[in-house]
Amino acid sequence: MKNIIVLGSTGSIGTSTLDVVARLGAPYRILALSANRNTELFLKQVHQFKPRFAAVLDPASYEILKPQMPKGTQLLPPEMESLTFLASLPSAHLVVNGLVGAVGFQPLVAAIKAGKTIALANKEPMVMAGQTVMQECQRWNATIIPVDSEPSAIFQCMEGTDAHSYHRTHESISRVFLTASGGPFARRKNALSTVTPAEALNHPRWKMGKKITIDSATLMNKGFEAIEIMNLFHLPQEKVQIVIHPQSLIHSAVEYVDGAILAEMSEPDMRIPIQYAVTYPKRMPSPVQPLNLFQAQKLEFFEPDFERFPCLELALAAQAKGGIFPAVLSAADEVAVEAFLKEQIKFTDIPKLIYSVLKQTLSRPGRVTLHQAAEADAWGREQARVHLAEKKYKKVVL
Ligand SMILES: NC(=O)c1ccc[n+]([C@@H]2O[C@H](COP(=O)([O-])OP(=O)(O)OC[C@H]3O[C@@H](n4cnc5c(N)ncnc54)[C@H](OP(=O)(O)O)[C@@H]3O)[C@@H](O)[C@H]2O)c1
């Protein structure tokens, strides 16, 4: 039996994970589920998968669900401790972290300290304190298997090579090509200042949650992924080459020192990397149609446009500065994306708001501790709200 915890089960990653687990059947079994506000879907999932434990963080959702929980499922109180409890359950074999934003940080840390294997989609904690997270994995004998399609592709392209262990320096690797679809505005000629939330939520290739879809439109998502893979695979920034690849068929590639490039290709469907993380190191049949190379016709590759998409440069600059900068970047981005979705700021104000907070961030020497990263997240969030209220965001100077 392989007992699986799914945190964020009602989200895009969560529902795809449950689809994968339902199709795989025994020995894969759902031990616990967590969500926030989508009580209707959550209740359906609880009835279908009959988990031993369930949790929602939203107190109003807890009150709705409490009288409806089936016998055999214990609904935990609506508090962060319930998520950390689930992430460290002794009988759990795999923790799937499909939470969005910094809310996934504490559950990730709890899973690591319990020595778990973690299928990680929630990239923000890896942005906030990725190097320290990897160090803690070593200390507690925990393993992270990336779920995000690009880090998963890189993980797969490193398999069977001397670079596969996270803890080695990758002398055999000369470059990693981190691919990006470019989002909905890669080829847009009009100014980006008039972009509406509805337009930005219309991603050409992937159907995802709102936060990551907006991050994909600003290219902040690619910046986050660049930070994530540097931390996951101990790669220096100069070995990471971001490539706009509109067809989204190559999910990333690794170039070795002998000139060989290994790429991972498939139809863009998250169930492939999710399933690989669930069944790793085994490969199992999946419901996704294999890629038809004859229909694919062309594969295009472009350099990213840093000027039109300043979030990318902001992310790389924050990572280069190190310390608390990436945690502040991630926190300010969460506030900025929320403000854009509520139509409080323009699309082009997102990088300006983030920059205004980063500009006043003081650097601290050395690697951040987990505690400092959580503090920096809270500080960055608060500052972003103040800058938003006082309209302190004017421009980005890079
Ligand atoms: N979607 C993708 O294809 C994809 C691909 C690669 C990486 N990722 C990464 O995976 C993570 C999840 O993305 P997603 O697209 O699946 O997001 P999503 O669709 O918005 O789902 C987020 C999940 O987290 C729950 N949640 C949200 N806020 C919460 C809170 N404050 N407390 C507790 N639970 C909360 C939601 O619950 P309710 O729905 O019940 O409110 C939902 O179950 C993100 O970090 C994203 O960057 C996603």
Side-chain angles (χ1 to χ4, degrees), residues 148-292:
D148 201 346
S149 57
E150 295 81 359
S152 170
I154 295 163
F155 180 76
Q156 294 179 57
C157 293
M158 288 182 180
E159 249 183 301
T161 71
D162 63 352
H164 193 241
S165 162
Y166 294 139
H167 311 303
R168 293 199 192 130
T169 48
H170 300 317
E171 281 164 13
S172 58
I173 290 175
S174 50
R175 265 185 305 179
V176 167
F177 295 104
L178 177 65
T179 54
S181 71
F185 309 125
R187 292 175 188 191
R188 181 176 157 126
K189 296 273 180 288
N190 300 346
L192 295 178
S193 56
T194 57
V195 162
T196 64
E199 287 174 310
L201 286 171
N202 190 18
H203 195 280
R205 299 278 168 212
W206 300 94
K207 183 96 197 72
M208 311 178 283
K210 285 185 177 176
K211 157 91 172 28
I212 183 176
T213 306
I214 301 301
D215 282 340
S216 299
T218 62
L219 291 199
M220 180 59 94
N221 183 52
K222 212 41 60 183
F224 282 169
E225 280 171 13
I227 299 174
E228 182 183 12
I229 63 165
M230 285 178 228
N231 291 331
L232 266 176
F233 304 112
H234 298 274
L235 292 166
Q237 197 155 317
E238 60 273 16
K239 285 195 180 183
V240 176
Q241 173 69 60
I242 296 169
V243 180
I244 305 297
H245 166 48
Q247 291 78 19
S248 293
L249 296 177
I250 293 183
H251 302 301
S252 279
V254 177
E255 181 188 74
Y256 288 89
V257 285
D258 58 3
I261 296 177
L262 304 192
E264 192 259 343
M265 296 177 75
S266 72
E267 286 293 345
D269 188 318
M270 283 307 294
R271 289 175 300 177
I272 293 180
I274 290 172
Q275 177 168 301
Y276 191 58
V278 170
T279 63
Y280 179 79
K282 272 198 234 165
R283 287 198 186 260
M284 307 277 281
S286 99
V288 182
Q289 279 297 313
L291 179 60
N292 183 332

